Amino acid sequence: MRSFWRREPSKATQSTIVIAGAGEVGFHIAKRLASENKQVVVVDQNPAALRRLADTLDVQTIEGSASSPKILDVAGVEDADIFLAVTDSDEINIIACFFANILNPDAVKLARIRNDEYSLYRDALTGETLNISMLINPEVEIIKTIERMVTVPGALEYSEFVGGKVKLIGLRLKEPRYAGLSLIKLREEMGDVSLIIGAILRNERLIIPTGRDTVEQGDLLYVVTEDRDIPEICRAFGCEHLAIRDVLIIGGGNIGLKLATLFERKGYHVKLVDKDEDRCQWLAGVLNKTIVLKGDGTDQDFLLEENVAAMDLVVSLTGDEETNILSSLLSKNMGAKKTITRVNKTAYLPLVRAIGIEHSVSPRLSAVNSILHYVRKGSVLSTVSIKGEEAEALEAIALEKSGVVNKPLKEIDFPKGAIVLCLVRGDRVIVPTGDTVILPEDRIIILALRHAVSKVEDALAVKLEYV
């Protein structure tokens, strides 16, 4: 057992989080939380993975197996607020949660579980013996992400809050007549359509705007709105709002199978492609309406033969990033209306956007997003990452003793880099102004840059003044 130490931060206002697993998921959760002044301890058996963490992040690392109660005791699980078991082994994650529950029954415990068989015993895993708060399956999470993406075909990103009452969608502004307009003027031009621009992505820079900021053609606008106004907003911005009917899935692994099953239920016409003949025969036996094809998604002749130009959606889901990127680029260039690309390494995400692939998904990033709202303090109910990891949209309940209630928004000393997007009071969605007053039990949707997230958490939890 070995520990790598960096400076010891003050524990007075910090949450303590123990992470079992220093792989991609563990690394990115640790990176996000350490940047928010949380005390993070990471346990892993791989010294190289731990050294990468210790060299780049302000975290404590402990070398050893997370399935060892002694190692968990050394890691400080007994005093932790949250325990995250995200190693590559389901069995180690389950055993780690078992001992973590003995050491600290009150800690929030989350486990990464990829084997569907374990999911059948969810009640046992989340019951008193293990007391796991949430089971995270990266394959399931990526399916949910793709499902959100196809809900509004013209959107590059799509999230729901307050049980679906509020939508946050990322739309590319293609309509030139709005270029140069301030946000105030843009809302006037849109008439009775309910919308608020929460963020602007321009030249890979994320801007939290004021009403006087302008929009430019090609900007990616993060718009908060309601269902009824989405088609009108898509039309106004020059985005196609076409229904999806014909789908090609490249990659017949577990994720491809799950997605084909989902799309069958939605009534889509689905083709599923895989290189392995035995896998294709098996897939054809378990799927009902999907046409299973043996082929190579990077073979231009094959794509031409399967009429990829007529596809409303092509989803590339193989385990190889290069294959996914190439098949998406080929499909897009041959006329497919929309492509979604699986990218395992989150460091690749900005690169794929730069070469023209705007719709990408990462199993690891999807898992991180699912974990985050359990980590957030106070009344935060859900969180969604914006532009990878640069910002978050948070849904929270306004607590009676919070520093944000019972006074106009313009009088709240909110941290720089954060904005209240909307409120939901009962069944009513309110687009706020400076005179809007947040009442206890209101649902609040807030967008915050990464550096402002921890201050937003504190403001929601207790009365707090920022200096």
Side-chain angles (χ1 to χ4, degrees), residues 301-337:
D301 291 334
F302 174 79
L303 294 175
L304 188 64
E305 184 180 335
E306 295 305 324
N307 197 18
V308 72
M311 294 295 161
D312 300 310
L313 174 65
V314 176
V315 190
S316 300
L317 293 173
T318 76
D320 181 78
E321 262 133 344
E322 289 75 13
T323 297
N324 294 337
I325 291 168
L326 182 55
S327 61
S328 291
L329 286 173
L330 281 171
S331 299
K332 185 177 179 182
N333 289 336
M334 294 172 72
K337 295 181 180 67

Side-chain angles (χ1 to χ4, degrees), residues 291-443:
I291 298 171
V292 180
L293 304 166
K294 179 181 180 296
D296 183 350
T298 63
D299 184 334
Q300 194 165 353
D301 291 334
F302 174 79
L303 294 175
L304 188 64
E305 184 180 335
E306 295 305 324
N307 197 18
V308 72
M311 294 295 161
D312 300 310
L313 174 65
V314 176
V315 190
S316 300
L317 293 173
T318 76
D320 181 78
E321 262 133 344
E322 289 75 13
T323 297
N324 294 337
I325 291 168
L326 182 55
S327 61
S328 291
L329 286 173
L330 281 171
S331 299
K332 185 177 179 182
N333 289 336
M334 294 172 72
K337 295 181 180 67
K338 179 173 181 175
T339 62
I340 297 176
T341 310
R342 173 185 175 180
V343 179
N344 293 323
K345 296 174 185 173
T346 51
Y348 281 15
L349 293 175
L351 300 178
V352 297
R353 283 195 292 266
I355 62 174
I357 297 176
E358 291 196 304
H359 301 84
S360 58
V361 290
S362 164
R364 295 179 178 98
L365 194 56
S366 295
V368 170
N369 288 338
S370 301
I371 289 167
L372 274 178
H373 81 268
Y374 278 89
V375 175
R376 297 291 172 229
K377 294 188 296 186
S379 57
V380 177
L381 300 176
S382 64
T383 68
V384 174
S385 289
I386 303 297
K387 195 187 175 287
E389 299 177 301
E390 287 195 19
E392 278 183 44
L394 302 93
E395 174 188 349
I397 296 176
L399 301 176
E400 188 173 354
K401 295 183 179 180
S402 163
V404 301
V405 300
N406 296 324
K407 54 186 174 185
L409 284 176
K410 63 186 177 186
E411 294 180 13
I412 296 174
D413 192 9
F414 225 49
K416 187 177 180 182
I419 182 175
V420 176
L421 299 178
C422 73
L423 314 175
V424 179
R425 185 172 298 154
D427 290 327
R428 190 158 61 104
V429 177
I430 302 170
V431 176
T433 67
D435 295 319
T436 302
V437 176
I438 299 173
L439 301 179
E441 300 304 314
D442 281 353
R443 294 283 188 101

Side-chain angles (χ1 to χ4, degrees), residues 55-103:
D55 288 346
T56 56
L57 306 179
D58 189 11
V59 300
Q60 179 190 346
T61 60
I62 295 177
E63 184 180 337
S65 173
S67 62
S68 162
K70 181 180 178 182
I71 294 294
L72 295 180
D73 188 38
V74 172
V77 168
E78 186 176 0
D79 299 316
D81 301 294
I82 298 166
F83 178 71
L84 306 176
V86 293
T87 75
D88 288 334
S89 166
D90 291 353
E91 290 74 22
I92 288 178
N93 293 339
I94 291 171
I95 294 169
C97 285
F98 173 77
F99 286 118
N101 193 50
I102 293 172
L103 292 168

Side-chain angles (χ1 to χ4, degrees), residues 148 151 158-164 166-168 227 382 384 395:
R148 287 195 295 269
T151 301
Y158 176 91
S159 302
E160 295 183 346
F161 298 97
V162 198
V166 176
K167 318 293 184 184
L168 174 63
D227 260 335
S382 64
V384 174
E395 174 188 349

Side-chain angles (χ1 to χ4, degrees), residues 134-154:
M134 180 182 178
L135 302 179
I136 302 146
N137 185 330
E139 294 178 356
V140 172
E141 297 306 322
I142 200 170
I143 296 300
K144 291 179 182 176
T145 301
I146 293 172
E147 185 177 14
R148 287 195 295 269
M149 281 185 168
V150 301
T151 301
V152 181

